[in-house]
Structure formats: structure tokens, C-alpha cells
Amino acid sequence: MNKVEEFIRTRENLNEIVMDFAKKDIKRFFNLDTSVYKEGALDSKTKEMLGLIASLVLRCDDCISYHLNQCHKAGVTSEELEELFSVGLIVGGSIVIPHLRRAISFWQELIR
Amino acid sequence: MNKVEEFIRTRENLNEIVMDFAKKDIKRFFNLDTSVYKEGALDSKTKEMLGLIASLVLRCDDCISYHLNQCHKAGVTSEELEELFSVGLIVGGSIVIPHLRRAISFWQELIR
Amino acid sequence: MNKVEEFIRTRENLNEIVMDFAKKDIKRFFNLDTSVYKEGALDSKTKEMLGLIASLVLRCDDCISYHLNQCHKAGVTSEELEELFSVGLIVGGSIVIPHLRRAISFWQELIR
Amino acid sequence: MNKVEEFIRTRENLNEIVMDFAKKDIKRFFNLDTSVYKEGALDSKTKEMLGLIASLVLRCDDCISYHLNQCHKAGVTSEELEELFSVGLIVGGSIVIPHLRRAISFWQELIR
Amino acid sequence: MNKVEEFIRTRENLNEIVMDFAKKDIKRFFNLDTSVYKEGALDSKTKEMLGLIASLVLRCDDCISYHLNQCHKAGVTSEELEELFSVGLIVGGSIVIPHLRRAISFWQELIR
Amino acid sequence: MNKVEEFIRTRENLNEIVMDFAKKDIKRFFNLDTSVYKEGALDSKTKEMLGLIASLVLRCDDCISYHLNQCHKAGVTSEELEELFSVGLIVGGSIVIPHLRRAISFWQELIR
């Protein structure tokens, strides 16, 4: 099982634990969290890129991995991703670099 | 002078003070900060939206105002912006709301 | 008009601008933001204190003012607030102090 | 040794290393960090919940685990915790979710 | 009254309000906050620069103004400050720029 | 291979992956990130301490480890480090403690 599969499986297992524990409001939040990335005035690809850069500058590895996977499915190319990372790096500063390293490494597994 | 013009003028005045004070490295950073938003694999409009959502979740009013202005010039519509704000709000949480309020108010002045 | 009234009025005006601009998802977020503070297994007073300390350590003045007002209505005493602030100050560090100063000053207007 | 015991043991070992290294000011900070959670105008249970939500929105896993353990000892129920998490999730946004997942998983081990 | 004097006066007034409100733990925190900047293995000048860059990357204008004033008294030069700002800008990213602008503007008033 | 060597090796491997992926702007950022720590009006030792405390209050373990290593090479003593940590702890609050624990543990390996 590679890094990507492991990430997805762990995430699913933990999400089940959350859903068992959560009541109405947390569940509504999770629904909303799905809803905002749906195709609309902006296409899904753009929205996933928005979710990715937000996760990057807030320095959340799990969120970054999740949105990288979504970006990959939505057809984001490595060239586009590299430019997104440039913007995120400039906005967030060198403190973002350790997350960038792991993100690029995760992306390489996704596209190979 | 309205809120938008005032923002732009204050920003320019302060940038002059920075440029007078700054030496090589800070100046190189400012150049880089311009360079990453240039048209490339991603168009300027997408890049400005990336800069905007990053500023929103990091809760920086001045950065938000700046990128709102850039988004406006790049042709972002109110419908697109509303969806970008939805993503930013979900990612960043209710702590983002005061910045969202000011952002929408700034945008209304931009588009009227 | 004192600081408290001014805060409440500005907040209401800006919320109207947000509601005019917002579509379904942002509105659902705002509803959820009301829902989580409702009396349940935890009483409203405790929930407002939770909202307040979260706002304090995340250093959001508007959010702090809002929850101070709610705490006041829910019957939080100055002694209780002082202890909540002690916890917030230790967790968040001296970077919290400027917000603490403004929070105490706002509270003094609320209770006089 | 389960996750809870492992967390407590690692924490104790590292705290010893800190105390060997620390001089007066760091030690005073640690004392203060104990003092603010003591029963006062607010009871310990409330204070531990305040410490927990502050740790959650600041996204510090170790701090969350520590306060979950303290909340458990202070008699916080799963129902109360679920509501605290709702508030923390709304305030802090989806960026909090990975920490929430680990927190709920840690809590399940605490209460079983 | 210029910007520097106004900052110092407002800060003193608000600190009085805090001290009237605060009990033992908050007061002990404030004492500790003074203590850590005292001459020791590191001189005061270095410690004030540490406090300044920490305030800069955490983006707290009041904290920045305070430490700029302390750095000025401790003999930090404009050349040294410019290099400190370069480090802070790289670490914290472009999100730091609005605070940098205000910081340089405040410094110019301090040294004239 | 001890913790320090492992950290350095992992970092080098990941940096290679970044450099393979990065184009001009990210590479310029990395160059700038090296440049700002070079001897100037402030000596390298002071600059590395600035980088360290910025990393500490922003709570980035990898950045902390990197700057600890650089501080060690630049001749920072344990006494000086302890005082830097005091400032960082007060500014950043108890949320910094888990990172402090790991930092001291890393430092002990560096100096033994």
C-alpha cells in the first residue's frame, strides 16, 4: 500500500469514527464542506485549487493531501500546481516549505 | 475620496516608505511577489483568486483589499467571488467572518 | 453612542451587506454558527465562554466583542471572565495581550 | 501500551528533559500553566474545556490530547464534548477536522 | 502628539485597566513578560530583536510597535532592523507586508 | 543514524524533490531564503536566532530543527538558547510547549 492509498484509508477510517460520534451540527458542517466545492459559477478544478492553497498557507498536511488528490482528479497539471505552490510560498513564507516538500512528494506518487 | 481610492493611496504611500528603507533582499521579495501572479500555466484571474483566498483564511484585511481590486480588474464576477468566499469561510471558520464583512463591503464599492 | 452600541450597529449593518450578497452555502454557515451556541448538553453560558476563548486565542477583536456581549447576557461574572482570560493568556501568550486590553475595556463598558 | 498511556509516558519523559534544561522563567511559566486551571470562580471542568477548545482551534494535537485527558478526569461527558467540538469546528473551520478526527479517536480510547 | 507618543499613552491607559481587572495569575504573567527580556546570557538588544521578529511573524501591530520602541532604546540601528525585517518577511511571507509597512513608518517617527 | 542525521538526510532528499519540481520563482525564493541569513549588519548567529524564534512561535518543527542545527554551528550556547526559548514561550504561549519539548530533545542530541 503506497502513501496515497494509506492516506485515503486512514482518512476514511477516522471519518467513520467522527460520523459515529457526531450529531446534527457537525454532520451539517461536513455536508457544507462537500457542498462548497461543487461545480457552480466556478468549476470544480478552480475550487479544489482554492481549497489547496488555503490548506497550504494554513499549513495543514492532511488537508493538503486531500486537496492534492482532488486536484489530480479534476485535471490540474504539474505546471499549474507548480504555479499555485509559488503563490502559496510567497504568501505564506518559508514556514510553508516543510509542507511544500511533503506536498510535492505526495503529488509525485499521485501522478506516477 | 472613497474607501477604494483611500486604500490604494495609503498603500502607495507606505510602499514608498518601504522601498526607501529596503535593501536588496526585501526588494527581491517584492519583485517575486509581483512575478508569481503573472499569467503562466494558470491565468492571472485564477492566480488573483488564489492570492485572495490565501489572504482571507490568513485574515489579512489589507491583503484581501489588494487582491479584491486585482480580481476586479481580472474580471472576477460577484457570483464567482461569492463561491470563493464560501470555500474560504468553510476552510477558515467563523473567525473569518469579520474579514468577510469588510471584504464584501469593499467589493460593493469596487463594482458600483 | 458608546463603544458597545457602535459595535452592535456596525456589525448589524455589515451583516445585512453579507446576507444580501450571500447565497445558500454562506447562509447555511451562518445558521450553523447560531445553532452551535444553543443550550444543549452544555448550557449557553458555557458555550459562549468557549466561543470567547477561541476568539481570544485566535486574536479576532470583533469576535471577542461579540462573545463578550453574549457572555454578559448569559450571566458571566467579572470574576469568571478574569479566570477565562488567565487561561487564554497562558495558552495564547503575550501576543494576546493587546486583544486582552481591548476586551477588558469593552467589558467595562458592558457592565457599567 | 495503548495510545493514551503512550501519550502520557512520552509527555512525562519530555517534560523531564525540559525541566532539566529550564531555568527560572520557563519554570515559572510552567507553574503558571498549572495554576490557571485550578478551581476558582470557574470550576476545573469548565477550565479544562476552555483549555481544550483553545488547543483545538490553535490546532495543537499534543495540547488537545492533554486536555482531553483532563476533561475526562473532570467528568466531561461525550455529549458535552460533542458540543464543544461543534463550537470549535465552526470557529476554526474545516482546517480543524484532521485534529478533530484524532481527538475523537483519542477520546474513544479514554472512555472505553 | 505624534504616533509614537500616542501609542505609548494609549498602551499605558489600557495597561492600567488591565491591572485593575487582573488578579494574581495575569499579574504573574505580566511580570514574567518583563523578566524574560532582562539582560542575561543574551543582552537586552538581542532579546528585544527576538521579541520584535516574533511579533512580526505573528502579525501583531501593537506588539511590533512596542518592541520597535524597545529596540530603538537598546541601540538597534536602521541597518540592523532592515536585516531583521528581511528574515521576518521571508519566514512569514507576503502576509507580513502590511505590518512591515506600518512598522517602518513607526520606526521613521522613532528615529527622526 | 541518530535523530539529527535522520533529520538532515530526510530534508536533503525532500529538497531534491522540490528542486526537480520547482521552476524559476520557487528557486528564487529558496535563494532568497539563504541570502537573508548571511552575515551583514547583524552577524549570522543573531540571524539564526531570529530564524529560530520565528519558527518556534509559528510552531514549525522542521524549521525549528533546521535553525537549531544552524544555531549550533554558529556557536549559540545552551544558556543563550534557554533564554531565547523563554522569550518564545512567553510570546507564543503554552501552545508552544510541545514544540519546545521536541526542540530541547533535538538540541541535547546536537550538543552531546
Side-chain angles (χ1 to χ4, degrees):
Chain A
M1 191 165 62
N2 70 13
K3 217 173 352 177
V4 174
E5 285 161 358
E6 197 193 317
F7 169 75
I8 292 169
R9 191 162 310 178
T10 307
R11 194 174 179 277
E12 277 169 6
N13 289 343
L14 286 171
N15 265 355
E16 265 180 54
I17 294 175
V18 174
M19 283 305 115
D20 279 356
F21 187 77
K23 293 193 181 140
K24 204 184 43 155
D25 286 341
I26 293 183
K27 283 184 173 144
R28 285 168 69 197
F29 188 94
F30 273 73
N31 288 337
L32 205 42
D33 190 23
T34 304
S35 177
V36 294
Y37 294 101
K38 291 216 173 106
E39 197 90 11
L42 296 172
D43 57 24
S44 299
K45 184 182 158 186
T46 303
K47 286 183 164 187
E48 287 300 336
M49 288 195 291
L50 294 176
L52 177 57
I53 199 168
S55 304
L56 182 65
V57 298
L58 289 174
R59 302 189 279 130
C60 171
D61 282 333
D62 279 351
C63 315
I64 294 170
S65 298
Y66 172 75
H67 285 293
L68 279 172
N69 197 202
Q70 297 297 101
C71 282
H72 184 238
K73 288 185 203 164
V76 173
T77 67
S78 292
E79 286 67 31
E80 291 169 331
L81 191 67
E82 198 270 343
E83 297 192 4
L84 179 152
F85 283 164
S86 306
V87 175
L89 180 58
I90 282 292
V91 173
S94 69
I95 213 80
V96 160
I97 291 176
H99 305 273
L100 198 64
R101 285 189 194 109
R102 291 187 286 268
I104 294 173
S105 162
F106 191 88
W107 180 257
Q108 302 293 18
E109 289 219 29
L110 272 169
I111 63 174
R112 83 178 172 193
Chain B
M1 190 166 61
N2 70 13
K3 218 174 348 178
V4 174
E5 284 161 359
E6 197 192 318
F7 169 75
I8 292 168
R9 191 162 311 179
T10 307
R11 194 174 179 277
E12 276 168 7
N13 289 344
L14 285 171
N15 265 356
E16 264 180 53
I17 293 176
V18 174
M19 283 306 114
D20 279 355
F21 187 76
K23 293 194 179 141
K24 203 183 42 154
D25 285 341
I26 293 182
K27 283 183 172 142
R28 285 168 68 198
F29 188 94
F30 274 72
N31 288 337
L32 204 43
D33 189 24
T34 304
S35 176
V36 294
Y37 294 101
K38 291 214 173 108
E39 196 92 11
L42 296 172
D43 57 24
S44 299
K45 184 182 159 187
T46 303
K47 287 183 165 187
E48 287 301 335
M49 289 194 290
L50 294 176
L52 177 58
I53 198 167
S55 303
L56 182 65
V57 297
L58 290 174
R59 303 189 279 129
C60 172
D61 282 333
D62 279 350
C63 316
I64 294 169
S65 297
Y66 172 75
H67 285 293
L68 279 172
N69 197 203
Q70 297 296 102
C71 282
H72 184 237
K73 288 187 204 162
V76 174
T77 67
S78 292
E79 286 68 29
E80 291 169 330
L81 190 67
E82 198 270 344
E83 298 192 3
L84 179 153
F85 284 163
S86 306
V87 176
L89 180 58
I90 282 292
V91 174
S94 69
I95 212 79
V96 160
I97 291 176
H99 305 274
L100 199 63
R101 286 190 193 107
R102 291 186 285 267
I104 294 173
S105 162
F106 192 88
W107 179 257
Q108 302 293 19
E109 288 219 30
L110 272 169
I111 63 174
R112 82 178 174 196
Chain C
M1 190 164 64
N2 70 13
K3 219 177 343 180
V4 174
E5 285 160 358
E6 197 192 317
F7 169 76
I8 292 169
R9 192 162 308 178
T10 307
R11 192 173 181 278
E12 277 168 7
N13 290 344
L14 286 171
N15 266 355
E16 263 179 56
I17 293 175
V18 174
M19 283 307 114
D20 279 355
F21 187 77
K23 292 189 181 146
K24 203 183 45 152
D25 285 342
I26 293 183
K27 282 183 173 145
R28 285 168 69 198
F29 188 94
F30 273 72
N31 287 337
L32 204 42
D33 189 24
T34 304
S35 176
V36 295
Y37 294 101
K38 290 215 174 108
E39 197 91 11
L42 296 172
D43 56 23
S44 300
K45 184 183 157 185
T46 303
K47 288 184 164 185
E48 287 301 336
M49 289 195 291
L50 294 176
L52 176 57
I53 198 166
S55 304
L56 182 64
V57 298
L58 289 174
R59 303 189 279 130
C60 171
D61 281 334
D62 279 350
C63 314
I64 294 170
S65 297
Y66 172 74
H67 285 293
L68 278 172
N69 197 203
Q70 297 296 101
C71 282
H72 184 238
K73 288 186 203 163
V76 173
T77 68
S78 292
E79 286 68 30
E80 291 169 330
L81 191 68
E82 197 271 343
E83 298 193 2
L84 179 154
F85 284 164
S86 306
V87 175
L89 180 57
I90 282 292
V91 173
S94 68
I95 212 82
V96 160
I97 291 176
H99 306 273
L100 199 63
R101 285 190 193 108
R102 292 187 283 267
I104 294 173
S105 162
F106 191 87
W107 180 257
Q108 301 294 16
E109 289 219 30
L110 271 169
I111 63 172
R112 82 179 174 195
Chain D
M1 191 164 62
N2 70 14
K3 218 176 345 180
V4 175
E5 285 161 358
E6 197 192 317
F7 169 75
I8 292 169
R9 192 163 308 178
T10 307
R11 193 173 180 278
E12 276 169 6
N13 289 344
L14 286 171
N15 266 355
E16 264 180 55
I17 292 175
V18 174
M19 283 306 115
D20 279 356
F21 187 77
K23 291 190 182 145
K24 206 183 44 157
D25 285 341
I26 293 182
K27 283 184 172 142
R28 286 168 68 196
F29 188 93
F30 273 72
N31 287 337
L32 204 42
D33 189 23
T34 305
S35 178
V36 294
Y37 294 101
K38 291 218 173 104
E39 196 92 11
L42 296 172
D43 56 25
S44 300
K45 185 182 157 186
T46 303
K47 288 183 164 187
E48 287 300 336
M49 289 194 291
L50 294 176
L52 177 56
I53 199 167
S55 303
L56 183 64
V57 298
L58 289 173
R59 303 190 278 130
C60 170
D61 282 334
D62 279 351
C63 314
I64 293 170
S65 297
Y66 172 74
H67 285 293
L68 278 173
N69 197 202
Q70 297 297 101
C71 282
H72 184 238
K73 288 186 202 162
V76 173
T77 67
S78 291
E79 285 68 31
E80 291 169 331
L81 191 67
E82 197 271 343
E83 297 192 3
L84 180 152
F85 283 164
S86 306
V87 175
L89 180 58
I90 282 292
V91 174
S94 70
I95 212 81
V96 160
I97 290 176
H99 305 272
L100 199 64
R101 284 189 194 109
R102 292 187 284 268
I104 294 173
S105 162
F106 191 88
W107 179 257
Q108 302 293 19
E109 288 219 30
L110 271 170
I111 62 173
R112 80 176 174 199
Chain E
M1 190 164 63
N2 69 14
K3 218 178 344 182
V4 175
E5 284 161 358
E6 197 192 317
F7 169 75
I8 293 169
R9 192 163 307 180
T10 306
R11 193 174 180 277
E12 276 169 6
N13 289 344
L14 285 172
N15 266 356
E16 264 180 53
I17 293 175
V18 174
M19 283 306 115
D20 279 356
F21 186 78
K23 291 192 182 142
K24 206 184 43 158
D25 285 341
I26 293 182
K27 283 183 173 144
R28 286 168 69 197
F29 187 93
F30 273 73
N31 287 337
L32 205 42
D33 189 23
T34 305
S35 178
V36 295
Y37 294 101
K38 290 214 173 109
E39 196 92 11
L42 296 172
D43 57 24
S44 300
K45 184 182 159 187
T46 303
K47 287 183 164 187
E48 287 301 336
M49 289 194 291
L50 295 176
L52 177 57
I53 198 167
S55 304
L56 183 64
V57 297
L58 290 173
R59 302 190 278 132
C60 171
D61 282 334
D62 279 351
C63 314
I64 293 170
S65 297
Y66 173 74
H67 285 293
L68 278 172
N69 197 204
Q70 296 296 102
C71 282
H72 184 238
K73 287 186 203 162
V76 173
T77 66
S78 292
E79 285 69 28
E80 290 169 331
L81 191 68
E82 197 270 345
E83 298 192 4
L84 179 153
F85 283 163
S86 307
V87 175
L89 180 58
I90 283 292
V91 174
S94 69
I95 212 81
V96 160
I97 291 175
H99 305 273
L100 199 64
R101 285 190 193 108
R102 292 187 284 267
I104 294 172
S105 162
F106 191 87
W107 179 257
Q108 302 294 18
E109 288 219 29
L110 271 169
I111 63 173
R112 81 177 175 197
Chain F
M1 190 164 64
N2 70 14
K3 217 173 351 176
V4 175
E5 285 161 358
E6 198 193 316
F7 169 75
I8 292 169
R9 191 162 310 179
T10 307
R11 194 174 179 278
E12 278 169 6
N13 289 344
L14 286 171
N15 266 354
E16 264 179 55
I17 293 175
V18 174
M19 283 306 115
D20 279 356
F21 186 77
K23 292 192 181 143
K24 204 183 44 155
D25 285 342
I26 293 183
K27 282 183 173 144
R28 285 168 68 198
F29 188 93
F30 273 73
N31 288 337
L32 204 43
D33 189 23
T34 304
S35 176
V36 294
Y37 294 101
K38 290 217 173 106
E39 197 91 10
L42 295 173
D43 57 24
S44 299
K45 185 183 157 186
T46 302
K47 287 183 164 187
E48 287 300 336
M49 289 194 290
L50 295 176
L52 177 57
I53 199 167
S55 304
L56 183 64
V57 298
L58 289 174
R59 303 188 280 129
C60 171
D61 282 334
D62 279 350
C63 315
I64 293 170
S65 297
Y66 172 74
H67 285 294
L68 278 172
N69 197 202
Q70 296 297 100
C71 282
H72 184 238
K73 288 187 203 162
V76 173
T77 67
S78 292
E79 285 68 30
E80 291 169 330
L81 190 67
E82 198 271 343
E83 297 192 3
L84 179 152
F85 283 163
S86 306
V87 176
L89 180 58
I90 283 292
V91 174
S94 68
I95 212 80
V96 160
I97 291 176
H99 305 274
L100 199 63
R101 285 190 194 108
R102 291 187 285 267
I104 294 173
S105 163
F106 191 88
W107 179 257
Q108 301 294 17
E109 288 219 30
L110 272 169
I111 63 174
R112 82 179 173 193

